[in-house]
Amino acid sequence: CAIVTFEAESTLGVRSADLHSALEARGISVSVSPSTHHFEPAARARPSVVRISPSYINAESEIDTALAAIAEELARLAEKGA
């Protein structure tokens, strides 16, 4: 089991909420979490993050599919200027 969080707003200009919507439309369950899980005030100003939680019940092919979809949607949304 794992919890993976990431954000692409600071590097690609893609908001976590937009990526969440795009992935959900493709049947990939993720959530968006605030960046406030930190004691450093400067870190709290960071963009929200996408959270995905792969588990031992996921097949390797499902993880590969999710990673490919994330890459595709990031590229599409960055190009679109989301």
Side-chain angles (χ1 to χ4, degrees), residues 18-61:
D18 295 332
L19 182 58
H20 170 267
S21 295
L23 293 172
E24 288 287 327
R26 293 176 72 157
I28 297 171
S29 296
V30 297
S31 62
V32 175
S33 298
S35 63
T36 58
H37 303 296
H38 204 285
F39 294 111
E40 183 66 36
R44 291 182 179 199
R46 297 191 65 199
S48 59
V49 297
V50 175
R51 174 183 163 154
I52 187 166
S53 302
S55 178
Y56 63 89
I57 63 170
N58 293 110
E60 189 173 332
S61 62

PDB file of all heavy atoms in Angstrom, residues 18-61:
ATOM      1  N   ASP A  18      -8.117  20.471 -11.584  1.00  0.00           N
ATOM      2  CA  ASP A  18      -8.345  20.180 -13.000  1.00  0.00           C
ATOM      3  C   ASP A  18      -7.869  18.773 -13.352  1.00  0.00           C
ATOM      4  O   ASP A  18      -8.538  18.055 -14.101  1.00  0.00           O
ATOM      5  CB  ASP A  18      -7.631  21.208 -13.876  1.00  0.00           C
ATOM      6  CG  ASP A  18      -8.207  22.604 -13.711  1.00  0.00           C
ATOM      7  OD1 ASP A  18      -9.407  22.724 -13.377  1.00  0.00           O
ATOM      8  OD2 ASP A  18      -7.455  23.582 -13.905  1.00  0.00           O
ATOM      9  N   LEU A  19      -6.731  18.387 -12.820  1.00  0.00           N
ATOM     10  CA  LEU A  19      -6.228  17.028 -13.066  1.00  0.00           C
ATOM     11  C   LEU A  19      -7.153  15.998 -12.430  1.00  0.00           C
ATOM     12  O   LEU A  19      -7.448  14.960 -13.032  1.00  0.00           O
ATOM     13  CB  LEU A  19      -4.800  16.878 -12.546  1.00  0.00           C
ATOM     14  CG  LEU A  19      -4.158  15.519 -12.786  1.00  0.00           C
ATOM     15  CD1 LEU A  19      -4.125  15.173 -14.272  1.00  0.00           C
ATOM     16  CD2 LEU A  19      -2.764  15.480 -12.190  1.00  0.00           C
ATOM     17  N   HIS A  20      -7.632  16.287 -11.236  1.00  0.00           N
ATOM     18  CA  HIS A  20      -8.581  15.401 -10.561  1.00  0.00           C
ATOM     19  C   HIS A  20      -9.801  15.145 -11.442  1.00  0.00           C
ATOM     20  O   HIS A  20     -10.208  14.002 -11.656  1.00  0.00           O
ATOM     21  CB  HIS A  20      -8.993  16.023  -9.228  1.00  0.00           C
ATOM     22  CG  HIS A  20     -10.123  15.333  -8.549  1.00  0.00           C
ATOM     23  ND1 HIS A  20     -11.435  15.723  -8.722  1.00  0.00           N
ATOM     24  CD2 HIS A  20     -10.153  14.273  -7.712  1.00  0.00           C
ATOM     25  CE1 HIS A  20     -12.217  14.939  -8.004  1.00  0.00           C
ATOM     26  NE2 HIS A  20     -11.465  14.042  -7.381  1.00  0.00           N
ATOM     27  N   SER A  21     -10.375  16.213 -11.979  1.00  0.00           N
ATOM     28  CA  SER A  21     -11.559  16.078 -12.829  1.00  0.00           C
ATOM     29  C   SER A  21     -11.272  15.250 -14.076  1.00  0.00           C
ATOM     30  O   SER A  21     -12.073  14.389 -14.467  1.00  0.00           O
ATOM     31  CB  SER A  21     -12.071  17.458 -13.246  1.00  0.00           C
ATOM     32  OG  SER A  21     -12.513  18.173 -12.128  1.00  0.00           O
ATOM     33  N   ALA A  22     -10.123  15.498 -14.693  1.00  0.00           N
ATOM     34  CA  ALA A  22      -9.762  14.767 -15.908  1.00  0.00           C
ATOM     35  C   ALA A  22      -9.554  13.283 -15.621  1.00  0.00           C
ATOM     36  O   ALA A  22      -9.989  12.424 -16.401  1.00  0.00           O
ATOM     37  CB  ALA A  22      -8.491  15.365 -16.515  1.00  0.00           C
ATOM     38  N   LEU A  23      -8.934  12.966 -14.516  1.00  0.00           N
ATOM     39  CA  LEU A  23      -8.694  11.556 -14.176  1.00  0.00           C
ATOM     40  C   LEU A  23      -9.989  10.865 -13.775  1.00  0.00           C
ATOM     41  O   LEU A  23     -10.221   9.706 -14.145  1.00  0.00           O
ATOM     42  CB  LEU A  23      -7.641  11.447 -13.076  1.00  0.00           C
ATOM     43  CG  LEU A  23      -6.238  11.884 -13.482  1.00  0.00           C
ATOM     44  CD1 LEU A  23      -5.318  11.912 -12.266  1.00  0.00           C
ATOM     45  CD2 LEU A  23      -5.671  10.985 -14.575  1.00  0.00           C
ATOM     46  N   GLU A  24     -10.825  11.541 -13.018  1.00  0.00           N
ATOM     47  CA  GLU A  24     -12.113  10.964 -12.638  1.00  0.00           C
ATOM     48  C   GLU A  24     -12.950  10.652 -13.873  1.00  0.00           C
ATOM     49  O   GLU A  24     -13.631   9.636 -13.931  1.00  0.00           O
ATOM     50  CB  GLU A  24     -12.875  11.907 -11.694  1.00  0.00           C
ATOM     51  CG  GLU A  24     -12.299  11.980 -10.294  1.00  0.00           C
ATOM     52  CD  GLU A  24     -12.569  10.740  -9.461  1.00  0.00           C
ATOM     53  OE1 GLU A  24     -13.626  10.101  -9.623  1.00  0.00           O
ATOM     54  OE2 GLU A  24     -11.699  10.409  -8.636  1.00  0.00           O
ATOM     55  N   ALA A  25     -12.894  11.512 -14.879  1.00  0.00           N
ATOM     56  CA  ALA A  25     -13.634  11.279 -16.122  1.00  0.00           C
ATOM     57  C   ALA A  25     -13.140  10.029 -16.838  1.00  0.00           C
ATOM     58  O   ALA A  25     -13.887   9.411 -17.599  1.00  0.00           O
ATOM     59  CB  ALA A  25     -13.507  12.493 -17.044  1.00  0.00           C
ATOM     60  N   ARG A  26     -11.901   9.641 -16.559  1.00  0.00           N
ATOM     61  CA  ARG A  26     -11.335   8.432 -17.155  1.00  0.00           C
ATOM     62  C   ARG A  26     -11.475   7.217 -16.240  1.00  0.00           C
ATOM     63  O   ARG A  26     -10.941   6.149 -16.523  1.00  0.00           O
ATOM     64  CB  ARG A  26      -9.857   8.664 -17.475  1.00  0.00           C
ATOM     65  CG  ARG A  26      -9.675   9.691 -18.584  1.00  0.00           C
ATOM     66  CD  ARG A  26      -8.239  10.002 -18.845  1.00  0.00           C
ATOM     67  NE  ARG A  26      -7.557   8.892 -19.507  1.00  0.00           N
ATOM     68  CZ  ARG A  26      -6.459   9.026 -20.233  1.00  0.00           C
ATOM     69  NH1 ARG A  26      -5.929  10.222 -20.426  1.00  0.00           N
ATOM     70  NH2 ARG A  26      -5.887   7.984 -20.773  1.00  0.00           N
ATOM     71  N   GLY A  27     -12.183   7.380 -15.126  1.00  0.00           N
ATOM     72  CA  GLY A  27     -12.420   6.269 -14.209  1.00  0.00           C
ATOM     73  C   GLY A  27     -11.264   5.996 -13.263  1.00  0.00           C
ATOM     74  O   GLY A  27     -11.178   4.905 -12.693  1.00  0.00           O
ATOM     75  N   ILE A  28     -10.385   6.969 -13.076  1.00  0.00           N
ATOM     76  CA  ILE A  28      -9.246   6.806 -12.172  1.00  0.00           C
ATOM     77  C   ILE A  28      -9.530   7.624 -10.924  1.00  0.00           C
ATOM     78  O   ILE A  28      -9.666   8.850 -10.983  1.00  0.00           O
ATOM     79  CB  ILE A  28      -7.936   7.248 -12.847  1.00  0.00           C
ATOM     80  CG1 ILE A  28      -7.680   6.348 -14.053  1.00  0.00           C
ATOM     81  CG2 ILE A  28      -6.772   7.200 -11.865  1.00  0.00           C
ATOM     82  CD1 ILE A  28      -6.558   6.796 -14.936  1.00  0.00           C
ATOM     83  N   SER A  29      -9.641   6.939  -9.796  1.00  0.00           N
ATOM     84  CA  SER A  29     -10.004   7.595  -8.542  1.00  0.00           C
ATOM     85  C   SER A  29      -8.786   8.214  -7.866  1.00  0.00           C
ATOM     86  O   SER A  29      -7.837   7.517  -7.514  1.00  0.00           O
ATOM     87  CB  SER A  29     -10.661   6.598  -7.592  1.00  0.00           C
ATOM     88  OG  SER A  29     -11.870   6.131  -8.148  1.00  0.00           O
ATOM     89  N   VAL A  30      -8.846   9.506  -7.709  1.00  0.00           N
ATOM     90  CA  VAL A  30      -7.832  10.260  -6.975  1.00  0.00           C
ATOM     91  C   VAL A  30      -8.580  11.275  -6.123  1.00  0.00           C
ATOM     92  O   VAL A  30      -9.784  11.465  -6.275  1.00  0.00           O
ATOM     93  CB  VAL A  30      -6.832  10.980  -7.918  1.00  0.00           C
ATOM     94  CG1 VAL A  30      -6.054   9.981  -8.755  1.00  0.00           C
ATOM     95  CG2 VAL A  30      -7.530  11.987  -8.812  1.00  0.00           C
ATOM     96  N   SER A  31      -7.868  11.925  -5.236  1.00  0.00           N
ATOM     97  CA  SER A  31      -8.467  13.004  -4.451  1.00  0.00           C
ATOM     98  C   SER A  31      -7.521  14.193  -4.470  1.00  0.00           C
ATOM     99  O   SER A  31      -6.380  14.085  -4.911  1.00  0.00           O
ATOM    100  CB  SER A  31      -8.747  12.537  -3.018  1.00  0.00           C
ATOM    101  OG  SER A  31      -7.544  12.186  -2.363  1.00  0.00           O
ATOM    102  N   VAL A  32      -8.012  15.308  -3.988  1.00  0.00           N
ATOM    103  CA  VAL A  32      -7.197  16.518  -3.876  1.00  0.00           C
ATOM    104  C   VAL A  32      -7.121  16.873  -2.399  1.00  0.00           C
ATOM    105  O   VAL A  32      -8.136  16.892  -1.699  1.00  0.00           O
ATOM    106  CB  VAL A  32      -7.809  17.684  -4.683  1.00  0.00           C
ATOM    107  CG1 VAL A  32      -7.017  18.962  -4.465  1.00  0.00           C
ATOM    108  CG2 VAL A  32      -7.849  17.334  -6.166  1.00  0.00           C
ATOM    109  N   SER A  33      -5.916  17.136  -1.935  1.00  0.00           N
ATOM    110  CA  SER A  33      -5.690  17.492  -0.538  1.00  0.00           C
ATOM    111  C   SER A  33      -5.017  18.855  -0.463  1.00  0.00           C
ATOM    112  O   SER A  33      -4.190  19.189  -1.319  1.00  0.00           O
ATOM    113  CB  SER A  33      -4.793  16.457   0.143  1.00  0.00           C
ATOM    114  OG  SER A  33      -5.392  15.195   0.153  1.00  0.00           O
ATOM    115  N   PRO A  34      -5.323  19.615   0.575  1.00  0.00           N
ATOM    116  CA  PRO A  34      -4.648  20.904   0.729  1.00  0.00           C
ATOM    117  C   PRO A  34      -3.187  20.700   1.112  1.00  0.00           C
ATOM    118  O   PRO A  34      -2.806  19.631   1.589  1.00  0.00           O
ATOM    119  CB  PRO A  34      -5.424  21.574   1.865  1.00  0.00           C
ATOM    120  CG  PRO A  34      -5.992  20.441   2.641  1.00  0.00           C
ATOM    121  CD  PRO A  34      -6.268  19.348   1.639  1.00  0.00           C
ATOM    122  N   SER A  35      -2.398  21.715   0.909  1.00  0.00           N
ATOM    123  CA  SER A  35      -0.982  21.616   1.258  1.00  0.00           C
ATOM    124  C   SER A  35      -0.729  22.059   2.690  1.00  0.00           C
ATOM    125  O   SER A  35       0.403  22.324   3.072  1.00  0.00           O
ATOM    126  CB  SER A  35      -0.146  22.460   0.298  1.00  0.00           C
ATOM    127  OG  SER A  35      -0.524  23.817   0.437  1.00  0.00           O
ATOM    128  N   THR A  36      -1.762  22.131   3.488  1.00  0.00           N
ATOM    129  CA  THR A  36      -1.628  22.666   4.850  1.00  0.00           C
ATOM    130  C   THR A  36      -1.115  21.648   5.861  1.00  0.00           C
ATOM    131  O   THR A  36      -1.067  21.937   7.040  1.00  0.00           O
ATOM    132  CB  THR A  36      -2.974  23.216   5.345  1.00  0.00           C
ATOM    133  OG1 THR A  36      -3.940  22.165   5.302  1.00  0.00           O
ATOM    134  CG2 THR A  36      -3.432  24.392   4.522  1.00  0.00           C
ATOM    135  N   HIS A  37      -0.710  20.491   5.422  1.00  0.00           N
ATOM    136  CA  HIS A  37      -0.207  19.474   6.347  1.00  0.00           C
ATOM    137  C   HIS A  37       1.268  19.708   6.626  1.00  0.00           C
ATOM    138  O   HIS A  37       2.100  18.843   6.398  1.00  0.00           O
ATOM    139  CB  HIS A  37      -0.426  18.074   5.771  1.00  0.00           C
ATOM    140  CG  HIS A  37      -1.848  17.792   5.441  1.00  0.00           C
ATOM    141  ND1 HIS A  37      -2.827  17.742   6.390  1.00  0.00           N
ATOM    142  CD2 HIS A  37      -2.471  17.586   4.267  1.00  0.00           C
ATOM    143  CE1 HIS A  37      -3.988  17.489   5.823  1.00  0.00           C
ATOM    144  NE2 HIS A  37      -3.804  17.400   4.536  1.00  0.00           N
ATOM    145  N   HIS A  38       1.572  20.888   7.111  1.00  0.00           N
ATOM    146  CA  HIS A  38       2.958  21.248   7.351  1.00  0.00           C
ATOM    147  C   HIS A  38       3.003  22.305   8.442  1.00  0.00           C
ATOM    148  O   HIS A  38       2.099  23.113   8.573  1.00  0.00           O
ATOM    149  CB  HIS A  38       3.579  21.790   6.053  1.00  0.00           C
ATOM    150  CG  HIS A  38       5.051  21.666   6.003  1.00  0.00           C
ATOM    151  ND1 HIS A  38       5.892  22.480   6.701  1.00  0.00           N
ATOM    152  CD2 HIS A  38       5.835  20.788   5.344  1.00  0.00           C
ATOM    153  CE1 HIS A  38       7.137  22.135   6.479  1.00  0.00           C
ATOM    154  NE2 HIS A  38       7.126  21.100   5.658  1.00  0.00           N
ATOM    155  N   PHE A  39       4.059  22.286   9.239  1.00  0.00           N
ATOM    156  CA  PHE A  39       4.197  23.270  10.304  1.00  0.00           C
ATOM    157  C   PHE A  39       4.866  24.556   9.841  1.00  0.00           C
ATOM    158  O   PHE A  39       4.794  25.573  10.509  1.00  0.00           O
ATOM    159  CB  PHE A  39       4.987  22.674  11.473  1.00  0.00           C
ATOM    160  CG  PHE A  39       4.261  21.559  12.164  1.00  0.00           C
ATOM    161  CD1 PHE A  39       4.712  20.260  12.066  1.00  0.00           C
ATOM    162  CD2 PHE A  39       3.117  21.809  12.898  1.00  0.00           C
ATOM    163  CE1 PHE A  39       4.039  19.230  12.692  1.00  0.00           C
ATOM    164  CE2 PHE A  39       2.434  20.791  13.526  1.00  0.00           C
ATOM    165  CZ  PHE A  39       2.894  19.492  13.430  1.00  0.00           C
ATOM    166  N   GLU A  40       5.516  24.511   8.694  1.00  0.00           N
ATOM    167  CA  GLU A  40       6.221  25.679   8.152  1.00  0.00           C
ATOM    168  C   GLU A  40       5.219  26.570   7.422  1.00  0.00           C
ATOM    169  O   GLU A  40       4.606  26.146   6.442  1.00  0.00           O
ATOM    170  CB  GLU A  40       7.313  25.214   7.202  1.00  0.00           C
ATOM    171  CG  GLU A  40       8.159  26.318   6.627  1.00  0.00           C
ATOM    172  CD  GLU A  40       8.995  27.042   7.660  1.00  0.00           C
ATOM    173  OE1 GLU A  40       9.472  26.378   8.604  1.00  0.00           O
ATOM    174  OE2 GLU A  40       9.140  28.256   7.535  1.00  0.00           O
ATOM    175  N   PRO A  41       5.024  27.815   7.869  1.00  0.00           N
ATOM    176  CA  PRO A  41       4.039  28.699   7.222  1.00  0.00           C
ATOM    177  C   PRO A  41       4.251  28.863   5.717  1.00  0.00           C
ATOM    178  O   PRO A  41       3.287  28.894   4.955  1.00  0.00           O
ATOM    179  CB  PRO A  41       4.210  30.029   7.955  1.00  0.00           C
ATOM    180  CG  PRO A  41       4.770  29.657   9.285  1.00  0.00           C
ATOM    181  CD  PRO A  41       5.645  28.455   9.028  1.00  0.00           C
ATOM    182  N   ALA A  42       5.475  28.950   5.262  1.00  0.00           N
ATOM    183  CA  ALA A  42       5.731  29.121   3.829  1.00  0.00           C
ATOM    184  C   ALA A  42       5.252  27.915   3.031  1.00  0.00           C
ATOM    185  O   ALA A  42       4.787  28.056   1.900  1.00  0.00           O
ATOM    186  CB  ALA A  42       7.217  29.354   3.580  1.00  0.00           C
ATOM    187  N   ALA A  43       5.347  26.736   3.610  1.00  0.00           N
ATOM    188  CA  ALA A  43       4.921  25.523   2.920  1.00  0.00           C
ATOM    189  C   ALA A  43       3.401  25.476   2.780  1.00  0.00           C
ATOM    190  O   ALA A  43       2.886  24.842   1.870  1.00  0.00           O
ATOM    191  CB  ALA A  43       5.421  24.287   3.652  1.00  0.00           C
ATOM    192  N   ARG A  44       2.691  26.155   3.650  1.00  0.00           N
ATOM    193  CA  ARG A  44       1.224  26.154   3.583  1.00  0.00           C
ATOM    194  C   ARG A  44       0.700  26.925   2.385  1.00  0.00           C
ATOM    195  O   ARG A  44      -0.436  26.776   1.991  1.00  0.00           O
ATOM    196  CB  ARG A  44       0.637  26.726   4.861  1.00  0.00           C
ATOM    197  CG  ARG A  44       0.851  25.816   6.033  1.00  0.00           C
ATOM    198  CD  ARG A  44       0.214  26.379   7.260  1.00  0.00           C
ATOM    199  NE  ARG A  44       0.422  25.459   8.359  1.00  0.00           N
ATOM    200  CZ  ARG A  44      -0.276  25.463   9.450  1.00  0.00           C
ATOM    201  NH1 ARG A  44      -1.231  26.344   9.614  1.00  0.00           N
ATOM    202  NH2 ARG A  44      -0.030  24.599  10.402  1.00  0.00           N
ATOM    203  N   ALA A  45       1.523  27.762   1.803  1.00  0.00           N
ATOM    204  CA  ALA A  45       1.116  28.541   0.638  1.00  0.00           C
ATOM    205  C   ALA A  45       1.275  27.748  -0.658  1.00  0.00           C
ATOM    206  O   ALA A  45       0.922  28.231  -1.719  1.00  0.00           O
ATOM    207  CB  ALA A  45       1.952  29.816   0.562  1.00  0.00           C
ATOM    208  N   ARG A  46       1.777  26.532  -0.566  1.00  0.00           N
ATOM    209  CA  ARG A  46       1.973  25.713  -1.756  1.00  0.00           C
ATOM    210  C   ARG A  46       0.624  25.274  -2.331  1.00  0.00           C
ATOM    211  O   ARG A  46      -0.374  25.214  -1.635  1.00  0.00           O
ATOM    212  CB  ARG A  46       2.812  24.481  -1.404  1.00  0.00           C
ATOM    213  CG  ARG A  46       4.211  24.888  -0.928  1.00  0.00           C
ATOM    214  CD  ARG A  46       5.103  23.716  -0.834  1.00  0.00           C
ATOM    215  NE  ARG A  46       5.285  23.197  -2.185  1.00  0.00           N
ATOM    216  CZ  ARG A  46       5.702  21.975  -2.449  1.00  0.00           C
ATOM    217  NH1 ARG A  46       5.976  21.145  -1.484  1.00  0.00           N
ATOM    218  NH2 ARG A  46       5.847  21.572  -3.693  1.00  0.00           N
ATOM    219  N   PRO A  47       0.603  24.923  -3.609  1.00  0.00           N
ATOM    220  CA  PRO A  47      -0.656  24.476  -4.230  1.00  0.00           C
ATOM    221  C   PRO A  47      -1.158  23.159  -3.616  1.00  0.00           C
ATOM    222  O   PRO A  47      -0.376  22.391  -3.044  1.00  0.00           O
ATOM    223  CB  PRO A  47      -0.261  24.243  -5.693  1.00  0.00           C
ATOM    224  CG  PRO A  47       1.028  24.949  -5.888  1.00  0.00           C
ATOM    225  CD  PRO A  47       1.707  24.980  -4.561  1.00  0.00           C
ATOM    226  N   SER A  48      -2.461  22.918  -3.772  1.00  0.00           N
ATOM    227  CA  SER A  48      -3.021  21.647  -3.322  1.00  0.00           C
ATOM    228  C   SER A  48      -2.400  20.513  -4.138  1.00  0.00           C
ATOM    229  O   SER A  48      -1.816  20.732  -5.191  1.00  0.00           O
ATOM    230  CB  SER A  48      -4.543  21.652  -3.471  1.00  0.00           C
ATOM    231  OG  SER A  48      -4.897  21.861  -4.816  1.00  0.00           O
ATOM    232  N   VAL A  49      -2.522  19.300  -3.613  1.00  0.00           N
ATOM    233  CA  VAL A  49      -1.881  18.140  -4.237  1.00  0.00           C
ATOM    234  C   VAL A  49      -2.915  17.103  -4.659  1.00  0.00           C
ATOM    235  O   VAL A  49      -3.994  17.015  -4.087  1.00  0.00           O
ATOM    236  CB  VAL A  49      -0.855  17.479  -3.277  1.00  0.00           C
ATOM    237  CG1 VAL A  49       0.274  18.442  -2.954  1.00  0.00           C
ATOM    238  CG2 VAL A  49      -1.523  16.982  -2.005  1.00  0.00           C
ATOM    239  N   VAL A  50      -2.566  16.341  -5.676  1.00  0.00           N
ATOM    240  CA  VAL A  50      -3.352  15.180  -6.088  1.00  0.00           C
ATOM    241  C   VAL A  50      -2.843  14.004  -5.261  1.00  0.00           C
ATOM    242  O   VAL A  50      -1.638  13.838  -5.072  1.00  0.00           O
ATOM    243  CB  VAL A  50      -3.178  14.889  -7.594  1.00  0.00           C
ATOM    244  CG1 VAL A  50      -3.901  13.601  -7.983  1.00  0.00           C
ATOM    245  CG2 VAL A  50      -3.680  16.046  -8.428  1.00  0.00           C
ATOM    246  N   ARG A  51      -3.763  13.216  -4.762  1.00  0.00           N
ATOM    247  CA  ARG A  51      -3.399  12.052  -3.954  1.00  0.00           C
ATOM    248  C   ARG A  51      -3.946  10.807  -4.631  1.00  0.00           C
ATOM    249  O   ARG A  51      -5.124  10.743  -4.983  1.00  0.00           O
ATOM    250  CB  ARG A  51      -3.994  12.180  -2.559  1.00  0.00           C
ATOM    251  CG  ARG A  51      -3.780  10.957  -1.708  1.00  0.00           C
ATOM    252  CD  ARG A  51      -4.450  11.124  -0.371  1.00  0.00           C
ATOM    253  NE  ARG A  51      -4.598   9.827   0.270  1.00  0.00           N
ATOM    254  CZ  ARG A  51      -4.671   9.646   1.557  1.00  0.00           C
ATOM    255  NH1 ARG A  51      -4.641  10.658   2.379  1.00  0.00           N
ATOM    256  NH2 ARG A  51      -4.802   8.427   2.049  1.00  0.00           N
ATOM    257  N   ILE A  52      -3.078   9.836  -4.809  1.00  0.00           N
ATOM    258  CA  ILE A  52      -3.483   8.533  -5.347  1.00  0.00           C
ATOM    259  C   ILE A  52      -2.924   7.470  -4.408  1.00  0.00           C
ATOM    260  O   ILE A  52      -1.812   7.598  -3.906  1.00  0.00           O
ATOM    261  CB  ILE A  52      -3.017   8.352  -6.812  1.00  0.00           C
ATOM    262  CG1 ILE A  52      -3.599   7.082  -7.408  1.00  0.00           C
ATOM    263  CG2 ILE A  52      -1.509   8.425  -6.934  1.00  0.00           C
ATOM    264  CD1 ILE A  52      -3.468   6.992  -8.921  1.00  0.00           C
ATOM    265  N   SER A  53      -3.721   6.455  -4.146  1.00  0.00           N
ATOM    266  CA  SER A  53      -3.341   5.443  -3.158  1.00  0.00           C
ATOM    267  C   SER A  53      -3.387   4.043  -3.746  1.00  0.00           C
ATOM    268  O   SER A  53      -4.352   3.292  -3.548  1.00  0.00           O
ATOM    269  CB  SER A  53      -4.288   5.518  -1.951  1.00  0.00           C
ATOM    270  OG  SER A  53      -4.263   6.794  -1.372  1.00  0.00           O
ATOM    271  N   PRO A  54      -2.346   3.660  -4.482  1.00  0.00           N
ATOM    272  CA  PRO A  54      -2.315   2.289  -4.995  1.00  0.00           C
ATOM    273  C   PRO A  54      -2.180   1.297  -3.840  1.00  0.00           C
ATOM    274  O   PRO A  54      -1.655   1.639  -2.782  1.00  0.00           O
ATOM    275  CB  PRO A  54      -1.080   2.274  -5.900  1.00  0.00           C
ATOM    276  CG  PRO A  54      -0.235   3.401  -5.422  1.00  0.00           C
ATOM    277  CD  PRO A  54      -1.160   4.407  -4.817  1.00  0.00           C
ATOM    278  N   SER A  55      -2.685   0.101  -4.063  1.00  0.00           N
ATOM    279  CA  SER A  55      -2.707  -0.900  -3.012  1.00  0.00           C
ATOM    280  C   SER A  55      -2.301  -2.262  -3.565  1.00  0.00           C
ATOM    281  O   SER A  55      -2.196  -2.451  -4.778  1.00  0.00           O
ATOM    282  CB  SER A  55      -4.122  -0.986  -2.436  1.00  0.00           C
ATOM    283  OG  SER A  55      -4.215  -1.965  -1.441  1.00  0.00           O
ATOM    284  N   TYR A  56      -2.120  -3.199  -2.686  1.00  0.00           N
ATOM    285  CA  TYR A  56      -1.754  -4.556  -3.092  1.00  0.00           C
ATOM    286  C   TYR A  56      -2.848  -5.215  -3.919  1.00  0.00           C
ATOM    287  O   TYR A  56      -2.595  -6.189  -4.622  1.00  0.00           O
ATOM    288  CB  TYR A  56      -1.409  -5.416  -1.873  1.00  0.00           C
ATOM    289  CG  TYR A  56      -2.560  -5.621  -0.923  1.00  0.00           C
ATOM    290  CD1 TYR A  56      -3.432  -6.693  -1.082  1.00  0.00           C
ATOM    291  CD2 TYR A  56      -2.789  -4.743   0.127  1.00  0.00           C
ATOM    292  CE1 TYR A  56      -4.501  -6.877  -0.226  1.00  0.00           C
ATOM    293  CE2 TYR A  56      -3.847  -4.922   0.988  1.00  0.00           C
ATOM    294  CZ  TYR A  56      -4.693  -5.991   0.816  1.00  0.00           C
ATOM    295  OH  TYR A  56      -5.753  -6.170   1.655  1.00  0.00           O
ATOM    296  N   ILE A  57      -4.059  -4.684  -3.876  1.00  0.00           N
ATOM    297  CA  ILE A  57      -5.137  -5.272  -4.681  1.00  0.00           C
ATOM    298  C   ILE A  57      -5.119  -4.778  -6.122  1.00  0.00           C
ATOM    299  O   ILE A  57      -5.824  -5.322  -6.956  1.00  0.00           O
ATOM    300  CB  ILE A  57      -6.527  -5.023  -4.056  1.00  0.00           C
ATOM    301  CG1 ILE A  57      -6.838  -3.527  -3.997  1.00  0.00           C
ATOM    302  CG2 ILE A  57      -6.629  -5.660  -2.686  1.00  0.00           C
ATOM    303  CD1 ILE A  57      -8.275  -3.224  -3.615  1.00  0.00           C
ATOM    304  N   ASN A  58      -4.316  -3.734  -6.405  1.00  0.00           N
ATOM    305  CA  ASN A  58      -4.205  -3.241  -7.772  1.00  0.00           C
ATOM    306  C   ASN A  58      -3.215  -4.086  -8.554  1.00  0.00           C
ATOM    307  O   ASN A  58      -2.124  -4.386  -8.070  1.00  0.00           O
ATOM    308  CB  ASN A  58      -3.721  -1.786  -7.799  1.00  0.00           C
ATOM    309  CG  ASN A  58      -4.735  -0.834  -7.228  1.00  0.00           C
ATOM    310  OD1 ASN A  58      -4.528  -0.291  -6.160  1.00  0.00           O
ATOM    311  ND2 ASN A  58      -5.823  -0.630  -7.936  1.00  0.00           N
ATOM    312  N   ALA A  59      -3.608  -4.433  -9.759  1.00  0.00           N
ATOM    313  CA  ALA A  59      -2.695  -5.144 -10.656  1.00  0.00           C
ATOM    314  C   ALA A  59      -1.661  -4.157 -11.188  1.00  0.00           C
ATOM    315  O   ALA A  59      -1.918  -2.950 -11.276  1.00  0.00           O
ATOM    316  CB  ALA A  59      -3.472  -5.756 -11.818  1.00  0.00           C
ATOM    317  N   GLU A  60      -0.511  -4.669 -11.551  1.00  0.00           N
ATOM    318  CA  GLU A  60       0.541  -3.818 -12.099  1.00  0.00           C
ATOM    319  C   GLU A  60       0.036  -3.078 -13.341  1.00  0.00           C
ATOM    320  O   GLU A  60       0.364  -1.904 -13.558  1.00  0.00           O
ATOM    321  CB  GLU A  60       1.765  -4.663 -12.441  1.00  0.00           C
ATOM    322  CG  GLU A  60       2.975  -3.850 -12.815  1.00  0.00           C
ATOM    323  CD  GLU A  60       4.222  -4.686 -12.986  1.00  0.00           C
ATOM    324  OE1 GLU A  60       4.345  -5.750 -12.359  1.00  0.00           O
ATOM    325  OE2 GLU A  60       5.092  -4.258 -13.767  1.00  0.00           O
ATOM    326  N   SER A  61      -0.790  -3.740 -14.131  1.00  0.00           N
ATOM    327  CA  SER A  61      -1.327  -3.099 -15.335  1.00  0.00           C
ATOM    328  C   SER A  61      -2.233  -1.915 -14.980  1.00  0.00           C
ATOM    329  O   SER A  61      -2.283  -0.925 -15.719  1.00  0.00           O
ATOM    330  CB  SER A  61      -2.092  -4.111 -16.190  1.00  0.00           C
ATOM    331  OG  SER A  61      -3.201  -4.627 -15.471  1.00  0.00           O
TER     332      SER A  61
END
